[in-house]
Amino acid sequence: MRIVINNLARTGLSVGVLTLLAGLHSAWAADSLPAVQAAADRTSISGLSSGAFMAVQYSTAYSASVMGVGVVAGGPYNCAYVNLGGILTCMSGAPSGGLSWEAAQDFASFGQIDPVAAISKFKVYVYGGKHDTVVHPSVVKATKDFYTAGGVAKKNLTFVSTLPSGHAFISPDFGNACKVTESPYIAQCKVKGSPYDQAKAILSQIYGPLKPAVLTLSSTVRPFDQREFAAADTGLDKVGFYYLPKACAADKSSHCAVHVVFHGCEQGAAAVGSDVYSKVGYNRWADANQVIVLYPQVVATELPLNPKGCWDWWGYSGLNFQVRGGAQLHAVKSMVDRLISAP
């Protein structure tokens, strides 16, 4: 998640080139996100890197409508504004989870986010790789501390910090070697000789024991028009993606769950193609367990200044980025609301 403090020359690509690539990626036709009457009380969130920060933000701002969250290499709520050192502290320092909890309480007291009492009922998964040099383990520990301060019971909080991974989603069958931190920021690690399946770990932590993952998907990932929900100046790409299991599409009264996956910096479809939305591993578990997976997308832009295609956890899209009125948060909430609305 090398954000605006990095020099674009390191990547060898200008923002203009990245924007051109994003335009090519977004050129295909995309239909509207469908209304499928998903279960309003079974929404959950996860993400990597800037997407992990975003998962914490979304689940905090809209806690009344979220049941759980998976945080992979991300820091606590409103981190850059409550810690001395700001962004740098929230990537490589030792931020305070307690200060983040106080910030959430303050925002809630002014009615800018949902009442924070619901957070104590969350099912939470927090992951930090031992060899992550982008978002350091000390930052991820602060996220654990944030949820502990919020009253999440030990039995409902899984904290994984022992795998020798770099900065990445962990897939059982796709990606770089475990310690590697490079595009597409997906890696393969083993636990006691067996591949670690992070999507399974996240979804089972939130939803409980899962039915075995399918070997063959019943449906395909489809694009949808994000401009219905957010203008270009929010940083969102033109196109997002979703996976709708056949059972959820066929039976509008099935009340399937919704799980939102936020990609990391330099990890949107404009940068890595289908790698996140098809290869991390969420869809095969979702298919077997009647979970709709939403993959919203941000893209590298010059205005707003977001050269790495990161989700906004420090304010590039506006000073209210971390509350319900934030442009990106509101857009994704509107997407979820569409999925849970009646056809």
Side-chain angles (χ1 to χ4, degrees):
M1 190 179 51
R2 294 179 288 274
I3 54 176
V4 292
I5 55 175
N6 285 30
N7 193 313
L8 282 173
R10 288 187 181 183
T11 68
L13 293 175
S14 68
V15 173
V17 172
L18 290 170
T19 304
L20 175 61
L21 292 173
L24 293 173
H25 142 72
S26 300
W28 62 65
D31 296 328
S32 293
L33 187 66
V36 293
Q37 205 167 341
D41 60 348
R42 299 188 67 217
T43 297
S44 62
I45 320 291
S46 66
L48 167 71
S49 192
S50 70
F53 278 91
M54 192 67 170
V56 174
Q57 281 182 184
Y58 184 101
S59 58
T60 303
Y62 296 108
S63 61
S65 59
V66 171
M67 65 176 293
V69 58
V71 184
V72 182
Y77 182 73
N78 201 37
C79 186
Y81 287 86
V82 298
N83 290 280
L84 186 65
I87 292 172
L88 288 176
T89 297
C90 294
M91 294 178 68
S92 58
S96 167
L99 288 177
S100 287
W101 177 246
E102 291 177 10
Q105 290 177 302
D106 288 343
F107 280 120
S109 70
F110 287 105
Q112 293 180 287
I113 65 174
D114 288 352
V116 293
I119 293 173
S120 67
K121 300 178 182 178
F122 279 8
K123 303 292 181 65
V124 179
Y125 170 98
V126 179
Y127 178 93
K130 288 178 65 177
H131 299 291
D132 193 332
T133 58
V134 180
V135 176
H136 288 203
S138 55
V139 176
V140 180
K141 182 182 180 300
T143 304
K144 171 183 174 290
D145 295 342
F146 169 74
Y147 287 111
T148 299
V152 176
K154 287 184 179 181
K155 65 179 182 179
N156 292 333
L157 202 168
T158 293
F159 180 48
V160 181
S161 60
T162 57
L163 269 67
S165 71
H167 190 68
F169 274 126
I170 311 301
S171 169
D173 54 15
F174 175 81
N176 301 314
C178 189
K179 293 183 181 180
V180 172
T181 296
E182 61 182 45
S183 185
Y185 304 102
I186 303 170
Q188 300 177 72
C189 300
K190 290 186 176 181
V191 176
K192 297 181 180 180
S194 297
Y196 186 67
D197 192 333
Q198 193 163 63
K200 177 186 179 183
I202 291 170
L203 293 178
S204 61
Q205 172 65 12
I206 294 169
Y207 293 111
L210 302 174
K211 296 178 182 178
V214 300
L215 297 178
T216 302
L217 296 178
S218 67
S219 185
T220 59
V221 175
R222 296 188 58 82
F224 71 94
D225 179 12
Q226 290 196 149
R227 285 292 170 264
E228 240 189 289
F229 304 97
D233 63 7
T234 63
L236 267 74
D237 202 349
K238 293 179 181 178
V239 173
F241 301 88
Y242 68 97
Y243 182 73
L244 179 65
K246 185 177 180 180
C248 299
D251 183 0
K252 297 302 190 298
S253 64
S254 63
H255 297 293
C256 292
V258 175
H259 185 75
V260 182
V261 178
F262 291 112
H263 63 75
C265 299
E266 300 181 294
Q267 205 189 32
V272 302
S274 66
D275 286 353
V276 172
Y277 66 71
S278 69
K279 297 175 182 175
V280 173
Y282 286 97
N283 299 338
R284 55 193 171 197
W285 290 104
D287 200 306
N289 293 277
Q290 294 192 320
V291 179
I292 301 162
V293 190
L294 179 69
Y295 298 96
Q297 302 285 306
V298 285
V299 67
T301 55
E302 291 179 338
L303 288 174
L305 183 58
N306 181 27
K308 301 293 185 180
C310 303
W311 288 98
D312 185 10
W313 61 273
W314 68 92
Y316 73 75
S317 66
L319 293 179
N320 62 347
F321 68 95
Q322 73 282 70
V323 299
R324 286 184 308 225
Q328 292 184 3
L329 287 177
H330 183 265
V332 177
K333 180 60 163 64
S334 297
M335 297 173 195
V336 173
D337 287 346
R338 172 70 59 78
L339 288 171
I340 66 177
S341 62

PDB file of all heavy atoms in Angstrom, residues 4 22 25 61 70 89 103 114 119 195 209 222 252 279 301:
ATOM      1  N   VAL A   4       0.597   8.028  -1.465  1.00  0.00           N
ATOM      2  CA  VAL A   4       1.047   9.244  -2.108  1.00  0.00           C
ATOM      3  C   VAL A   4       2.427   9.687  -1.688  1.00  0.00           C
ATOM      4  O   VAL A   4       3.054  10.488  -2.378  1.00  0.00           O
ATOM      5  CB  VAL A   4       0.043  10.394  -1.835  1.00  0.00           C
ATOM      6  CG1 VAL A   4      -1.244  10.115  -2.528  1.00  0.00           C
ATOM      7  CG2 VAL A   4      -0.186  10.585  -0.353  1.00  0.00           C
ATOM      8  N   ALA A  22      -6.740   2.125 -16.925  1.00  0.00           N
ATOM      9  CA  ALA A  22      -8.026   1.998 -16.244  1.00  0.00           C
ATOM     10  C   ALA A  22      -9.175   2.232 -17.210  1.00  0.00           C
ATOM     11  O   ALA A  22     -10.201   1.568 -17.157  1.00  0.00           O
ATOM     12  CB  ALA A  22      -8.104   2.996 -15.090  1.00  0.00           C
ATOM     13  N   HIS A  25      -9.675  -0.832 -19.249  1.00  0.00           N
ATOM     14  CA  HIS A  25     -10.308  -1.862 -18.419  1.00  0.00           C
ATOM     15  C   HIS A  25     -11.803  -1.616 -18.273  1.00  0.00           C
ATOM     16  O   HIS A  25     -12.615  -2.542 -18.258  1.00  0.00           O
ATOM     17  CB  HIS A  25      -9.638  -1.878 -17.046  1.00  0.00           C
ATOM     18  CG  HIS A  25     -10.560  -2.107 -15.906  1.00  0.00           C
ATOM     19  ND1 HIS A  25     -11.135  -3.325 -15.641  1.00  0.00           N
ATOM     20  CD2 HIS A  25     -11.036  -1.248 -14.970  1.00  0.00           C
ATOM     21  CE1 HIS A  25     -11.905  -3.217 -14.581  1.00  0.00           C
ATOM     22  NE2 HIS A  25     -11.868  -1.980 -14.161  1.00  0.00           N
ATOM     23  N   ALA A  61     -18.497   2.894  10.492  1.00  0.00           N
ATOM     24  CA  ALA A  61     -19.482   3.918  10.128  1.00  0.00           C
ATOM     25  C   ALA A  61     -20.888   3.344  10.011  1.00  0.00           C
ATOM     26  O   ALA A  61     -21.872   3.990  10.385  1.00  0.00           O
ATOM     27  CB  ALA A  61     -19.082   4.578   8.812  1.00  0.00           C
ATOM     28  N   GLY A  70     -13.292  -8.678   8.184  1.00  0.00           N
ATOM     29  CA  GLY A  70     -11.985  -9.302   8.031  1.00  0.00           C
ATOM     30  C   GLY A  70     -10.958  -8.254   7.629  1.00  0.00           C
ATOM     31  O   GLY A  70     -11.151  -7.562   6.622  1.00  0.00           O
ATOM     32  N   THR A  89       2.935   6.717  10.661  1.00  0.00           N
ATOM     33  CA  THR A  89       2.709   5.936  11.884  1.00  0.00           C
ATOM     34  C   THR A  89       1.717   4.812  11.629  1.00  0.00           C
ATOM     35  O   THR A  89       1.859   3.710  12.174  1.00  0.00           O
ATOM     36  CB  THR A  89       2.192   6.844  13.008  1.00  0.00           C
ATOM     37  OG1 THR A  89       3.184   7.820  13.310  1.00  0.00           O
ATOM     38  CG2 THR A  89       1.869   6.045  14.274  1.00  0.00           C
ATOM     39  N   ALA A 103     -12.095   7.965  18.982  1.00  0.00           N
ATOM     40  CA  ALA A 103     -12.541   8.733  17.817  1.00  0.00           C
ATOM     41  C   ALA A 103     -13.883   8.209  17.317  1.00  0.00           C
ATOM     42  O   ALA A 103     -14.781   8.992  16.972  1.00  0.00           O
ATOM     43  CB  ALA A 103     -11.495   8.650  16.704  1.00  0.00           C
ATOM     44  N   ASP A 114     -22.895   5.296  12.820  1.00  0.00           N
ATOM     45  CA  ASP A 114     -23.863   4.555  13.619  1.00  0.00           C
ATOM     46  C   ASP A 114     -23.400   4.454  15.076  1.00  0.00           C
ATOM     47  O   ASP A 114     -22.194   4.529  15.353  1.00  0.00           O
ATOM     48  CB  ASP A 114     -24.037   3.140  13.064  1.00  0.00           C
ATOM     49  CG  ASP A 114     -24.801   3.116  11.751  1.00  0.00           C
ATOM     50  OD1 ASP A 114     -25.330   4.164  11.345  1.00  0.00           O
ATOM     51  OD2 ASP A 114     -24.859   2.025  11.138  1.00  0.00           O
ATOM     52  N   ILE A 119     -20.690  -2.711  17.543  1.00  0.00           N
ATOM     53  CA  ILE A 119     -19.377  -3.278  17.233  1.00  0.00           C
ATOM     54  C   ILE A 119     -19.018  -4.401  18.190  1.00  0.00           C
ATOM     55  O   ILE A 119     -18.336  -5.366  17.817  1.00  0.00           O
ATOM     56  CB  ILE A 119     -18.311  -2.162  17.235  1.00  0.00           C
ATOM     57  CG1 ILE A 119     -18.567  -1.207  16.060  1.00  0.00           C
ATOM     58  CG2 ILE A 119     -16.897  -2.733  17.168  1.00  0.00           C
ATOM     59  CD1 ILE A 119     -17.683   0.024  16.042  1.00  0.00           C
ATOM     60  N   PRO A 195      -2.007 -25.704   2.588  1.00  0.00           N
ATOM     61  CA  PRO A 195      -2.212 -24.326   2.132  1.00  0.00           C
ATOM     62  C   PRO A 195      -3.176 -23.568   3.041  1.00  0.00           C
ATOM     63  O   PRO A 195      -4.208 -24.115   3.450  1.00  0.00           O
ATOM     64  CB  PRO A 195      -2.797 -24.502   0.727  1.00  0.00           C
ATOM     65  CG  PRO A 195      -2.380 -25.865   0.302  1.00  0.00           C
ATOM     66  CD  PRO A 195      -2.366 -26.695   1.549  1.00  0.00           C
ATOM     67  N   PRO A 209     -19.410 -22.252  10.858  1.00  0.00           N
ATOM     68  CA  PRO A 209     -18.985 -23.387  10.030  1.00  0.00           C
ATOM     69  C   PRO A 209     -19.589 -23.318   8.628  1.00  0.00           C
ATOM     70  O   PRO A 209     -20.785 -23.055   8.466  1.00  0.00           O
ATOM     71  CB  PRO A 209     -19.503 -24.594  10.802  1.00  0.00           C
ATOM     72  CG  PRO A 209     -19.577 -24.125  12.222  1.00  0.00           C
ATOM     73  CD  PRO A 209     -19.978 -22.686  12.160  1.00  0.00           C
ATOM     74  N   ARG A 222     -19.540 -10.883 -12.584  1.00  0.00           N
ATOM     75  CA  ARG A 222     -20.080  -9.962 -13.573  1.00  0.00           C
ATOM     76  C   ARG A 222     -19.716  -8.518 -13.225  1.00  0.00           C
ATOM     77  O   ARG A 222     -19.627  -8.157 -12.046  1.00  0.00           O
ATOM     78  CB  ARG A 222     -21.607 -10.086 -13.653  1.00  0.00           C
ATOM     79  CG  ARG A 222     -22.087 -11.449 -14.142  1.00  0.00           C
ATOM     80  CD  ARG A 222     -23.585 -11.445 -14.373  1.00  0.00           C
ATOM     81  NE  ARG A 222     -23.986 -10.428 -15.340  1.00  0.00           N
ATOM     82  CZ  ARG A 222     -23.919 -10.594 -16.666  1.00  0.00           C
ATOM     83  NH1 ARG A 222     -23.463 -11.719 -17.177  1.00  0.00           N
ATOM     84  NH2 ARG A 222     -24.321  -9.635 -17.480  1.00  0.00           N
ATOM     85  N   LYS A 252     -35.383 -15.492  -5.156  1.00  0.00           N
ATOM     86  CA  LYS A 252     -35.293 -14.137  -4.612  1.00  0.00           C
ATOM     87  C   LYS A 252     -35.712 -14.064  -3.150  1.00  0.00           C
ATOM     88  O   LYS A 252     -35.554 -13.040  -2.508  1.00  0.00           O
ATOM     89  CB  LYS A 252     -36.164 -13.184  -5.443  1.00  0.00           C
ATOM     90  CG  LYS A 252     -35.722 -13.049  -6.901  1.00  0.00           C
ATOM     91  CD  LYS A 252     -34.294 -12.556  -7.036  1.00  0.00           C
ATOM     92  CE  LYS A 252     -33.955 -12.191  -8.476  1.00  0.00           C
ATOM     93  NZ  LYS A 252     -34.039 -13.311  -9.413  1.00  0.00           N
ATOM     94  N   LYS A 279      -9.439 -15.089  -7.978  1.00  0.00           N
ATOM     95  CA  LYS A 279      -8.390 -16.028  -7.590  1.00  0.00           C
ATOM     96  C   LYS A 279      -8.025 -16.034  -6.107  1.00  0.00           C
ATOM     97  O   LYS A 279      -7.274 -16.911  -5.671  1.00  0.00           O
ATOM     98  CB  LYS A 279      -7.139 -15.775  -8.436  1.00  0.00           C
ATOM     99  CG  LYS A 279      -7.379 -16.023  -9.916  1.00  0.00           C
ATOM    100  CD  LYS A 279      -6.177 -15.646 -10.758  1.00  0.00           C
ATOM    101  CE  LYS A 279      -6.478 -15.865 -12.240  1.00  0.00           C
ATOM    102  NZ  LYS A 279      -5.364 -15.399 -13.104  1.00  0.00           N
ATOM    103  N   THR A 301      -5.861   7.876 -10.010  1.00  0.00           N
ATOM    104  CA  THR A 301      -6.317   9.137 -10.586  1.00  0.00           C
ATOM    105  C   THR A 301      -5.366  10.271 -10.224  1.00  0.00           C
ATOM    106  O   THR A 301      -4.642  10.205  -9.236  1.00  0.00           O
ATOM    107  CB  THR A 301      -7.725   9.508 -10.076  1.00  0.00           C
ATOM    108  OG1 THR A 301      -7.721   9.516  -8.638  1.00  0.00           O
ATOM    109  CG2 THR A 301      -8.768   8.527 -10.575  1.00  0.00           C
TER     110      THR A 301
END
